[in-house]
Amino acid sequence: MKIGILCYPTYGGSGIVATELGMSLANKGYEVHFISSALPARLDITNPNIFFHKVNLQTYPLFQYQPYDIALSSMIYRIVNLYKLDLLHAHYAIPYAYAAFTAKQMLKEEGKDVPLVTTLHGTDITLVGQHPSYKHAVEFSINQSDTITSVSESLKKDTLQLFHIKKEIEVITNFIDNTEFENKTYCQRNQFAKPDQKILIHVSNLRPVKRVEEVLEIFKNVQKKINCMLIIIGEGPDMEKVNQFLEEQPHLINKIRLLGKVNDLYKILQLSDVFLLPSEQESFGLAALEAMAAETPVISSNAGGIPEVNIQGETGYLAEIGNVEAMSNYTIKLLSDDVLLAQMKKNAKEQAMRFDLKNILPLYEKMYEHTLATFKQPALH
Ligand code: GMT
């Protein structure tokens, strides 16, 4: 099967899921074509079954804004035609499902068509998708998709509440390749912490929904009781809040390490004792799953789909969104009890195994087969 994957190339969760999915499909013999504005961050282009097609943007003095969606739909149309793709898979409704719909219309003009799968990832539904500038186009393009998938039960529920959706939504959760966490040479713990220090970690694209200011507040509370360090991985608009916090709390400067974007994330996750995720919204929480795969328990909010991944009292603890005090107390409780911490690390890994690639990839394959089998090709002119 030849599959076109349309996704963001950046470190955001939807791009990571799309890339990991495409690479796993390519390893199984599928021909996978990525269409994006840049090479996706984790894409291994040396795999002979993987193709990358960069969307070309044309500058023109008349354009105040470059019309990316037009360039994208033209590129999708061209790649479907050139490589005879069997199916398109859009990750994140805006603009991918919308541009794919337009490309399909162009194909239909020539008596051709290709089925479109749209995977809803989160903020395309709960945040950006709600803006009046996008809402109707998002609803329209979701309804025009041949198959719709959502990354959690919670996101499915939100989608049905927030939009008028006329089709079934199938839940296929985020996944993790646990083999990536096996037999690796890890970083030395003493690179980041003293032998008696615990390590707290937060990984995100530092957007306001991630509430990095609460990560810092939790750490401020915890370090009063527990000898610990905080590692923050990622870049984003709220990095300024981190810098401001450090200016106001200069005594914490030696206890907080800012690593920016990191390639071998698992190496650092594996050193960590607790992952902090106080998000305001989180359709699934791929970052939490990655932490669990590295045997790191999670202290999180109970936003969106997080409770489907982080199990209260088993793989970590959850509190109401914004309840910094509860999240701080849970972290202190966990880090003060080595037996509890060891048990939760074990439980976290077991939970990550439930979301292993080998369990989730067949669901995607079955969904593709079903989409193709039920798709009606247009009658030839
Ligand atoms: O929130 C991010 O870091 C990026 C965002 C995206 O769509 O790029 O992530 C969303 O998709 C991930 C993969 O499906 C989910 O695991 C995240 O929970 C979700 N983020 C939010 O809902 C805020």
Side-chain angles (χ1 to χ4, degrees):
M1 194 188 300
K2 296 183 183 183
I3 301 170
I5 291 191
L6 325 171
C7 66
Y8 283 107
T10 46
Y11 278 80
S14 62
I16 290 174
V17 169
T19 307
E20 297 286 354
L21 172 64
M23 290 197 300
S24 310
L25 291 166
N27 287 338
K28 285 193 86 172
Y30 293 81
E31 187 174 305
V32 184
H33 293 255
F34 283 85
I35 302 176
S36 189
S37 55
L39 190 69
R42 292 190 188 176
L43 188 63
D44 174 13
I45 201 67
T46 60
N47 186 318
N49 286 335
I50 287 183
F51 296 74
F52 169 62
H53 312 282
K54 187 174 186 304
V55 179
N56 282 320
L57 278 179
Q58 184 66 45
T59 52
Y60 186 66
L62 202 62
F63 296 161
Q64 191 183 355
Y65 306 104
Q66 290 177 348
Y68 178 68
D69 302 2
I70 295 183
L72 176 62
S73 53
S74 300
M75 182 58 101
I76 297 169
Y77 163 83
R78 288 169 72 193
I79 299 305
V80 170
N81 259 335
L82 267 175
Y83 292 89
K84 311 270 177 281
L85 300 191
D86 298 305
L87 183 142
L88 291 171
H89 190 167
H91 287 265
Y92 210 87
I94 310 167
Y96 295 104
Y98 190 74
F101 166 76
T102 315
K104 276 165 64 76
Q105 294 307 107
M106 295 181 215
L107 290 162
K108 280 182 185 170
E109 280 297 300
E110 296 166 8
K112 302 173 201 160
D113 199 3
V114 64
L116 169 63
V117 174
T118 296
T119 291
L120 312 171
H121 279 275
T123 46
D124 47 350
I125 299 304
T126 53
L127 200 68
V128 212
Q130 290 311 300
H131 193 277
S133 305
Y134 304 116
K135 187 164 181 170
H136 295 292
V138 170
E139 183 175 87
F140 172 78
S141 41
I142 294 173
N143 278 323
Q144 294 301 320
S145 306
D146 298 286
T147 297
I148 310 163
T149 80
S150 145
V151 298
S152 66
E153 291 291 344
S154 156
L155 182 62
K156 174 178 174 176
K157 197 163 143 256
D158 285 346
T159 310
L160 294 174
Q161 254 165 23
L162 295 167
F163 295 99
H164 182 54
I165 301 297
K166 300 174 191 152
K167 288 193 171 121
E168 261 306 300
I169 300 179
E170 182 179 352
V171 174
I172 306 183
T173 64
N174 286 176
F175 57 86
I176 191 87
D177 182 359
N178 280 285
T179 60
E180 287 288 321
F181 294 79
E182 288 164 6
N183 305 322
K184 299 280 182 191
T185 318
Y186 292 115
C187 304
Q188 296 297 317
R189 201 181 155 92
N190 63 12
Q191 276 178 256
F192 298 99
K194 300 198 179 79
D196 55 346
Q197 271 181 324
K198 296 280 196 270
I199 299 177
L200 283 65
I201 190 164
H202 172 74
V203 182
S204 79
N205 44 22
L206 302 185
R207 287 178 302 158
V209 285
K210 303 291 176 180
R211 295 195 170 214
V212 69
E213 63 278 18
E214 293 187 0
V215 170
L216 296 161
E217 282 305 315
I218 294 168
F219 176 69
K220 197 172 118 191
N221 294 338
V222 173
Q223 58 83 39
K224 287 179 190 156
K225 305 269 175 157
I226 305 273
N227 184 10
C228 60
M229 291 282 300
L230 172 67
I231 297 177
I232 296 182
I233 293 182
E235 286 173 11
D238 279 355
M239 183 49 95
E240 199 37 57
K241 287 186 182 163
V242 180
N243 293 331
Q244 215 177 316
F245 176 87
L246 289 174
E247 271 168 16
E248 287 160 11
Q249 311 284 333
H251 60 288
L252 294 180
I253 211 140
N254 292 328
K255 290 186 163 189
I256 299 181
R257 290 285 305 271
L258 309 176
L259 300 188
K261 284 181 186 167
V262 163
N263 277 338
D264 293 332
L265 182 59
Y266 55 85
K267 291 184 182 172
I268 300 166
L269 284 172
Q270 194 266 350
L271 302 174
S272 308
D273 296 296
V274 164
F275 186 88
L276 299 177
L277 191 68
S279 303
E280 187 174 332
Q281 286 180 2
E282 205 67 68
S283 66
F284 180 90
L286 179 61
L289 179 59
E290 291 186 318
M292 289 182 195
E295 295 179 34
T296 304
V298 176
I299 305 288
S300 68
S301 69
N302 60 4
I306 302 180
E308 295 172 44
V309 189
N310 187 21
I311 310 299
Q312 180 73 301
E314 200 178 298
T315 60
Y317 293 102
L318 302 92
E320 290 296 320
I321 299 165
N323 194 341
V324 169
E325 195 187 335
M327 286 186 261
S328 306
N329 290 339
Y330 278 138
T331 312
I332 293 166
K333 174 181 154 112
L334 184 54
L335 293 181
S336 325
D337 184 340
D338 281 345
V339 176
L340 180 66
L341 183 59
Q343 184 60 49
M344 284 214 173
K345 283 182 179 231
K346 195 168 158 277
N347 297 348
K349 183 67 193 176
E350 278 171 17
Q351 175 72 335
M353 292 305 289
R354 290 186 196 109
F355 291 94
D356 192 81
L357 174 69
K358 67 177 180 315
N359 298 331
I360 310 296
L361 187 62
L363 304 181
Y364 273 109
E365 292 179 274
K366 204 168 148 214
M367 177 273 291
Y368 290 148
E369 295 293 349
H370 184 257
T371 303
L372 276 175
T374 50
F375 182 67
K376 289 189 189 69
Q377 284 288 350
L380 285 176
H381 285 191

